[in-house]
Amino acid sequence: MNKAKERQLVLKAMREIYYPPNAVNRIDWMGNLITEDNKPSYHHIVKRETLLANGESISATVENGAYLGKRSHELLHEIEHIDYDLYMCWNDLFLMINRMHTYPVDHVWDMIYLLQDKTRDAIIENNYSKKINKIGK
């Protein structure tokens, strides 16, 4: 099976685990609405390079995945380059959501909103103003 098909199957499994079946809107794990223009994408929490170095499979899995819209995914990789600690905070939060194995509860959303604020600050501080509209949309 090719990697794109594999990621789509894992995203479907994640949608079934983390989102109620009657959910009208789906918000990704960085707080952005999933839409036709912001389709879901799979983010490896532990990077493929690290998995390979440890002799582990690089296949997409629910346990190592974050359910992100395309915009959030792009933004997360921008953050990785301008504030690595913030990037790691996001990944730690994603791992926590995975361990809960359910739709994020209120205190998790509070953490998401706090990290959104920190992400906005990091972008502004690093003159990434064109990316600011990708946060919380």
Side-chain angles (χ1 to χ4, degrees):
M1 175 182 324
N2 71 34
K3 291 182 191 309
K5 179 79 169 168
E6 177 183 89
R7 283 191 299 270
Q8 289 305 312
L9 288 173
V10 172
L11 282 169
K12 182 178 186 262
M14 292 177 84
R15 194 171 42 251
E16 291 171 0
I17 293 167
Y18 297 104
Y19 294 91
N22 59 347
V24 176
N25 293 324
R26 287 192 180 86
I27 299 173
D28 72 18
W29 294 1
M30 288 180 73
N32 291 302
L33 187 64
I34 298 292
T35 65
E36 277 300 311
D37 294 332
N38 189 37
K39 294 185 185 221
S41 68
Y42 178 87
H43 167 68
H44 277 88
I45 299 169
V46 176
K47 290 180 169 269
R48 286 174 262 180
E49 299 82 22
T50 303
L51 294 170
L52 279 173
N54 293 334
E56 298 175 51
S57 170
I58 60 169
S59 295
T61 63
V62 170
E63 298 76 22
N64 189 39
Y67 194 90
L68 300 179
K70 180 183 173 201
R71 289 184 196 124
S72 292
H73 205 164
E74 291 171 357
L75 179 62
L76 183 63
H77 286 288
E78 293 287 336
I79 290 298
E80 179 181 11
H81 297 289
I82 62 173
D83 188 336
Y84 189 74
D85 290 338
L86 179 57
Y87 169 79
M88 292 306 295
C89 285
W90 277 112
N91 280 315
D92 288 344
L93 181 62
F94 301 153
L95 286 172
M96 183 177 69
I97 294 169
N98 275 337
R99 287 185 193 112
M100 293 174 71
H101 216 69
T102 188
Y103 185 76
V105 295
D106 289 344
H107 76 272
V108 173
W109 286 112
D110 292 342
M111 287 185 262
I112 289 170
Y113 300 139
L114 175 68
L115 289 178
Q116 279 183 342
D117 290 344
K118 292 184 178 294
T119 298
R120 272 189 201 91
D121 292 346
I123 289 170
I124 291 167
E125 184 178 311
N126 288 280
N127 296 318
Y128 277 79
S129 59
K130 66 182 179 182
K131 300 285 183 185
I132 199 79
N133 292 327
K134 292 185 179 183
I135 305 168
K137 297 276 179 189

